[in-house]
DNA sequence: GTTACGTGCAACCCCAGGCTTGCACGTCTG
DNA sequence: CAGACGTGCAAGCCTGGGGTTGCACGTAAC
């Protein structure tokens, strides 16, 4: 539902520090070109272009041509969606831990053979 | 404030698909060993161990020895914190876009030389 | 004791991807 | 028109890290 491969792309995109710096610069300027951003980054213009390409495929950035230059700007939706996905997963984990703690504290007569394999609820895809 | 390098580690950890599968398995079982998880994954036990190591350094997973085996379990806090960080950034971007839209619609007498370099508010570190 | 199982360490292979350089094309300015 | 600027490919380099295999040690079961 939450586009699981979208999440994949976003996470992969955000994983790179330089890419986050590009995003920072972009968010600060509001709108900028590759060469402009490269001006205050320790890498070549082409590197920035490639990063922006990845970011755009991930939906974190959009671009449009304006004359002989290409303007980029940040795109919050995907990021927000990913944030919500992440919060949901965290909540699932939390619930899972509660179950474990309850089992541990309960005066359980069955010591359970080996693994704590419990065929209970499975987290959403 | 939100541990910027913690965010870095978490994002880097989550970027790998196999690593997310490990987390999935772990969350499903509630608690598991490396060999146990490797049983239902298409990689070797050692691969799983290395992934778990990364995840633990990122604070997404904790472990304790129990006899001759090491039990892992998911740790929601860091993930939740990262989710909140991400939501905050998304909100910042959103605000930034609002400013741009306002500037674009306003009957601006100044055509602004070249770049849309606006020395306004800077997003939090 | 011996056997079996799970772990931890180390060396190694291999490829994705981050970055560079070089060049050609399109667009604005004089 | 010529020149300057920004972009868009393409090829190439090189390191990081995901994966494997092999082995030695500690712990449990027999």
């Amino acid at each position: 539902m939450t586009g699981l491969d979208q999440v994949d792309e976003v996470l992969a995109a955000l994983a790179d520090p330089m890419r986050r710096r590009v995003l920072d610069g972009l968010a600060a300027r509001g709108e900028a070109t590759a060469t402009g951003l490269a001006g205050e980054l320790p890498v070549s213009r082409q590197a920035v272009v490639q990063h922006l390409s990845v970011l755009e495929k991930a939906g974190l950035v959009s671009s449009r041509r304006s004359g002989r230059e290409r303007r980029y700007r940040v795109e919050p939706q995907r990021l927000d969606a990913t944030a919500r996905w992440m919060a949901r997963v965290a909540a699932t984990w939390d619930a899972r831990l509660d179950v474990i703690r309850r089992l541990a504290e309960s005066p359980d007569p069955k010591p359970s053979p080996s693994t704590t394999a419990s065929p209970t609820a499975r987290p959403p895809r």
Side-chain angles (χ1 to χ4, degrees), chain A:
Chain A
M1 294 301 183
T2 323
L4 66 164
D5 20 313
Q6 289 190 5
V7 171
D8 182 289
E9 283 181 327
V10 172
L11 289 178
L14 291 177
D16 187 273
M18 185 60 67
R19 213 130 55 202
R20 283 196 304 264
R21 291 182 66 179
V22 171
L23 283 176
D24 275 352
L26 202 54
R29 296 168 171 243
E31 205 176 37
T33 70
T35 19
L37 289 170
E40 49 190 28
L41 287 177
V43 294
S44 74
R45 170 187 67 97
Q46 274 306 321
V48 176
V49 170
Q50 287 173 14
H51 284 309
L52 285 170
S53 165
V54 174
L55 292 170
E56 189 162 19
K57 278 173 189 160
L60 292 171
V61 148
S62 69
S63 73
R64 45 178 278 266
R65 292 209 62 146
S66 163
R68 68 177 163 182
E69 61 184 14
R70 175 172 292 274
R71 297 285 186 87
Y72 292 89
R73 67 167 60 176
V74 289
E75 215 62 52
Q77 303 92 338
R78 284 284 171 83
L79 190 62
D80 195 63
T82 308
R84 281 199 297 273
W85 167 86
M86 200 173 284
R88 238 187 46 218
V89 174
T92 308
W93 289 8
D94 232 352
R96 206 82 191 86
L97 286 189
D98 275 356
V99 175
I100 296 184
R101 291 196 197 93
R102 213 153 303 163
L103 288 180
E105 291 171 6
S106 73
D108 188 18
K110 290 185 181 180
S112 124
S114 56
T115 342
T116 323
S118 41
T120 335
R122 287 213 317 187
R125 289 293 305 162

